[in-house]
Amino acid sequence: MSRNRLADETSPYLLQHKDNPVHWWAWGPEALAEAKATGKPILLSVGYAACHWCHVMAHESFEDDETAAVMNELFVNIKLDREERPDIDAIYMSALHHLGEQGGWPLTMFLDTNARPFFGGTYFPKTRGYGRPAFVDVLHNISRIYHQEPEKVTHNADIITNALRAPPAQGQAMIVGDQLINELTSRLVGAVDPLNGGLTGAPKFPQWSIFWLLWRGAIRYGNETAAKAVENTLVHICQGGIYDHLGGGFSRYSVDERWLAPHFEKMLYDNALLVDELTECFRETGRPLFKRRIEETITWLQREMIAEGGGFAASLDADSEGEEGKFYVWSADEIQSVLGPEDAAVFCATYDVSCDGNWEGHNILNRLKRLDDLSDDEEARLAAMREKLLAHRVGRIRPGWDDKVLADWNGLMIAALARAAQVFARPDWLTTAETAFEFISTKMAPDGRLRHSYRDGKLGATATASDYANMVWGALRLFQATNAPKYLEAAQTWTDTLHQHYWLPAESRYATTADDTDDVLVRLSGGTDDAMPNANGIQVSNLMHLSMLTGDDRYREQAAMILESFSTDMHQNLVGHTGLLAAALDVINPQQVVIAAETPDGPMAKALHSVSLPGALEHIINDVEPTSTSPSVMGKAARDRQPTAYACIGPQCSAPLTDPEEFLGLLKQQRAAVG
């Protein structure tokens, strides 16, 4: 019987569509069998719960009885949450790129009964507009071609599927070394907006992989211009409307070049990556703004983003009450009613609030007109005002909360929290990270194999490579912060599983999906980054860290194999592989620091945290004679029972150091390229 089947799902995004008149199926063998039984093509609609344009298309078309009737008559309609199945989303997004189209969500793909794509797009309006045809016209035309011109459909499907299954690029390879990364660092600076930061133009995304490489290159090669480009970008992100100045947390991207007007969805992964990057940049610059934004964002995380069992929720929606950003914007009159005229005048001047508004008649709070901090007294006064406005905002109707727990996104946040907890001596942040780790390792790996998602007591699909790589990163960061053996053991176990089920021996790289994932058209194995860093790049760093911690050179050899595997791909698209190139610096210059007999806020710890060491392993241990499951930590005892540091490059460690200034000087020397 034809009906909408989404009410049985747990994904908040799919549940948003459970009352549509469209006869939606969830992705699975039943939906594919229905296509074969009926002979109808498949309409695959992919989105996520916080996606604004997904909501627009839903309101215009999927909630419309007439449009739904056409969809139901002509297609088997499948709705997919890209966050639940990023592997499937990646396949069909890649197919769209092979069609010469720019990607984005909602993703609208048309498949044959074998799930092979033959046509697609993103958002289609109900009526012709935005340079796009009306959705119903597209539906009729696709159905006509499918049934009347099957040879054209088969031809397109063959070409696209063969392209997806194509082996790794052949041709000229490149040597990934200091010369290449140094030159690329200088080139990337030219692509950065010198005024507003970020890559030149609009829209603007945080682009973590690019700016992480830019920062690492700036530190290693002493490129002050590159360092300033990253710092300026982060300052504008922190002071722009992309940041929630009342509640904390960053939106996914800005539609303008100034970082003023975001699409207001807040994603866990963006906030994790920004917290980590801000932490590293704070160490080098000491900029109070960065520390404040880290603290505020983690406060938001702890207040609003803790899901069942202590895992971290995926996102907050852009829309509330059917309107984008309504929860976050203000009028001057509303601010005055909350703060009173005197404080409102100060607040509005600081946060760019006017009677006419700064965005479509509304005001997005921002501090772009004055990027620098005010005096301590002025900042304290503004903080009190923000607390009043935040308390008032609580009474508004909140955006939707997607509380599913995703292993890969949680891994990123666990890693960021563990490092920030060390740098800022915040044991409560470390506890939050450990709680999330415990939930995932116990509740989301029932048979020892990770699952990608969890919600409402139900596990999702088999993990992707990113789930393993990011959780290994989180485990390694927790091991550094606690010296607890279980974290190093977890990192080794998950790395073994990743190698067993995801490693492609002929290609010397990881596939996105496991060898026993049976519902994907192809197993992708690219190394390019998107909004999140690629699993291959993350795992290169993880493997180098495991090699140092365990003394097992096989990990280092595998990291080198991955870089060599992608050398031809990088020659063809260097900027697309910035995550791998940043990780290559851990192969070129592996660093480890151990401080014995030290407290988190002691003088040697403060010296360590006053300099950026991107990619370094860092251990601060209170014991005079550290005991550890890691041979690289054992034996590094305190001298005369006072805090003692060891700075290592690969297996070679310095003599024990007890003077903070001497220690700091050595760290700066070791992180820089010679010659």
Side-chain angles (χ1 to χ4, degrees):
M1 184 179 69
S2 297
R3 60 182 176 88
N4 185 321
R5 292 164 170 77
L6 300 185
D8 299 328
E9 299 299 314
T10 58
S11 159
Y13 175 65
L14 298 187
L15 292 174
Q16 287 175 357
H17 295 270
K18 67 181 177 63
D19 296 321
N20 292 169
V22 179
H23 296 158
W24 290 118
W25 296 74
W27 180 271
E30 296 85 0
L32 301 180
E34 177 73 4
K36 288 183 179 295
T38 61
K40 294 179 181 180
I42 294 167
L43 190 163
L44 175 65
S45 177
V46 185
Y48 57 97
C51 170
H52 170 68
W53 283 101
C54 299
H55 301 330
V56 173
M57 191 167 179
H59 296 324
E60 290 179 348
S61 296
F62 304 149
E63 296 171 8
D64 178 69
D65 289 331
E66 293 181 1
T67 304
V70 175
M71 294 173 65
N72 296 336
E73 178 186 357
L74 302 179
F75 296 92
V76 172
N77 302 289
I78 300 178
K79 178 61 75 173
L80 181 79
D81 182 344
R82 69 169 295 262
E83 295 169 359
E84 275 197 332
R85 292 303 304 267
D87 49 348
I88 294 172
D89 171 66
I91 291 168
Y92 294 106
M93 187 63 73
S94 181
L96 183 65
H97 293 156
H98 284 298
L99 286 166
E101 296 287 333
Q102 186 173 353
W105 296 276
L107 174 63
T108 308
M109 295 298 294
F110 297 93
L111 322 179
D112 66 15
T113 54
N114 292 312
R116 302 191 311 161
F118 62 89
F119 182 75
T122 53
Y123 162 77
F124 289 101
K126 183 180 178 182
T127 57
R128 179 180 294 272
Y130 304 98
R132 299 169 184 268
F135 187 46
V136 168
D137 292 341
V138 171
L139 297 176
H140 282 296
N141 196 37
I142 292 296
S143 178
R144 179 189 61 77
I145 293 172
Y146 188 81
H147 293 291
Q148 297 180 14
E149 303 179 57
E151 69 286 348
K152 182 180 292 187
V153 171
T154 300
H155 177 72
N156 280 8
D158 285 343
I159 290 176
I160 297 169
T161 304
N162 289 337
L164 292 172
R165 289 175 173 159
Q170 302 295 314
Q172 184 176 353
M174 63 194 330
I175 298 173
V176 179
D178 276 319
Q179 181 178 348
L180 171 68
I181 300 174
N182 190 5
E183 291 174 355
L184 180 58
T185 299
S186 297
R187 283 171 48 196
L188 284 174
V189 173
V192 178
D193 182 338
L195 178 62
N196 302 300
L199 297 185
T200 299
K204 279 190 172 169
F205 292 80
Q207 299 278 17
W208 180 83
S209 293
I210 289 175
F211 283 92
W212 183 235
L213 175 64
L214 198 56
W215 181 257
R216 296 202 65 171
I219 296 299
R220 179 152 175 79
Y221 309 114
N223 191 325
E224 188 64 26
T225 305
K228 289 296 183 185
V230 176
E231 182 181 357
N232 185 48
T233 296
L234 291 175
V235 167
H236 279 80
I237 290 174
C238 287
Q239 298 289 49
I242 192 173
Y243 181 73
D244 179 359
H245 289 265
L246 299 184
F250 297 89
S251 295
R252 192 165 74 93
Y253 71 100
S254 173
V255 301
D256 66 299
E257 64 181 10
R258 296 178 53 235
W259 305 99
L260 169 64
H263 275 314
F264 290 86
E265 65 264 37
K266 292 182 185 178
M267 319 301 291
L268 181 68
Y269 63 83
D270 282 316
N271 285 276
L273 294 169
L274 281 166
V275 164
D276 202 58
E277 191 171 10
L278 285 166
T279 298
E280 203 61 40
C281 292
F282 170 79
R283 293 170 64 163
E284 190 73 12
T285 65
R287 193 151 190 156
L289 172 65
F290 295 164
K291 180 181 180 182
R292 192 159 58 247
R293 293 293 180 262
I294 292 164
E295 291 172 340
E296 292 166 351
T297 298
I298 295 175
T299 298
W300 161 75
L301 175 82
Q302 293 174 321
R303 183 183 65 241
E304 299 185 28
M305 298 299 287
I306 305 297
E308 178 183 348
F312 302 125
S315 67
L316 286 170
D317 206 332
D319 296 13
S320 57
E321 301 180 73
E323 188 175 325
E324 183 190 10
K326 186 173 183 178
F327 183 76
Y328 297 102
V329 299
W330 294 82
S331 69
D333 287 344
E334 189 177 12
I335 289 174
Q336 181 166 318
S337 70
V338 176
L339 298 181
E342 184 177 344
D343 278 354
V346 172
F347 187 89
C348 290
T350 305
Y351 286 91
D352 188 28
V353 175
S354 66
C355 292
D356 295 331
N358 57 28
W359 178 72
E360 298 182 357
H362 304 285
N363 289 285
I364 300 173
L365 302 183
N366 73 91
R367 293 179 63 165
L368 291 169
K369 291 184 176 179
R370 182 171 175 180
L371 297 171
D372 294 332
D373 288 343
L374 304 176
S375 70
D376 290 345
D377 288 344
E378 289 172 308
E379 290 292 349
R381 183 182 178 189
L382 288 168
M385 296 180 200
R386 292 197 303 271
E387 285 297 321
K388 290 181 181 179
L389 291 170
L390 179 62
H392 178 79
R393 197 176 76 176
V394 168
R396 297 178 178 178
I397 296 176
R398 297 186 59 79
W401 187 47
D402 189 332
D403 61 340
K404 66 176 176 287
V405 177
L406 302 173
D408 53 349
W409 296 12
N410 272 253
L412 294 177
M413 184 57 83
I414 290 166
L417 280 175
R419 178 52 53 86
Q422 284 185 289
V423 170
F424 297 104
R426 290 292 301 264
D428 57 321
W429 295 354
L430 185 60
T431 298
T432 300
E434 290 191 279
T435 301
F437 184 93
E438 182 70 15
F439 176 81
I440 291 168
S441 60
T442 57
K443 298 295 186 182
M444 294 180 63
D447 53 3
R449 295 273 300 275
L450 279 173
R451 301 299 190 271
H452 172 65
S453 63
Y454 176 99
R455 183 177 184 270
D456 196 24
K458 296 181 182 178
L459 290 167
T462 301
T464 67
S466 284
D467 293 309
Y468 280 100
N470 294 351
M471 284 301 297
V472 169
W473 188 18
L476 289 171
R477 283 279 185 86
L478 286 173
F479 177 69
Q480 294 168 67
T482 66
N483 204 37
K486 65 179 180 180
Y487 296 123
L488 181 56
E489 292 166 4
Q492 291 179 275
T493 299
W494 286 335
T495 293
D496 289 344
T497 303
L498 189 59
H499 186 80
Q500 179 182 354
H501 291 287
Y502 299 78
W503 184 252
L504 301 173
E507 301 177 19
S508 296
R509 59 177 66 176
Y510 296 109
T512 300
T513 50
D515 53 6
D516 52 359
T517 302
D518 58 7
D519 63 348
V520 293
L521 183 66
V522 297
R523 294 179 73 198
L524 299 179
S525 60
T528 56
D529 307 294
D530 49 32
M532 289 208 311
N534 185 274
N536 282 281
I538 294 293
Q539 194 63 10
V540 165
S541 291
N542 291 339
L543 288 165
M544 285 305 302
H545 290 161
L546 284 168
S547 178
M548 295 175 71
L549 290 169
T550 65
D552 189 339
D553 202 47
R554 290 177 298 175
Y555 292 125
R556 184 198 59 79
E557 292 171 354
Q558 190 173 0
M561 288 170 64
I562 294 170
L563 288 178
E564 184 177 355
S565 169
F566 284 104
S567 60
T568 301
D569 302 74
M570 286 189 274
H571 187 268
Q572 296 180 0
N573 180 12
L574 199 58
V575 175
H577 293 84
T578 48
L580 273 164
L581 290 165
L585 290 172
D586 292 327
V587 180
I588 296 167
N589 191 52
Q591 291 182 276
Q592 182 177 17
V593 178
V594 179
I595 308 176
E598 181 62 303
T599 59
D601 58 351
M604 299 295 276
K606 287 180 178 178
L608 171 62
H609 295 147
S610 69
V611 60
S612 176
L613 294 176
L617 288 165
E618 300 177 7
H619 311 264
I620 299 172
I621 300 171
N622 198 31
D623 297 330
V624 171
E625 180 71 48
T627 57
S628 177
T629 52
S630 168
S632 68
V633 177
M634 287 190 299
K636 293 179 171 59
R639 176 190 263 180
D640 299 327
R641 305 189 69 83
Q642 60 181 318
T644 304
Y646 299 80
C648 311
I649 299 294
Q652 303 299 319
C653 294
S654 69
L657 300 168
T658 56
D659 179 75
E661 288 300 319
E662 184 182 2
F663 174 47
L664 183 59
L666 179 61
L667 292 177
K668 290 182 177 181
Q669 178 185 332
Q670 285 188 345
R671 72 182 185 171
V674 177

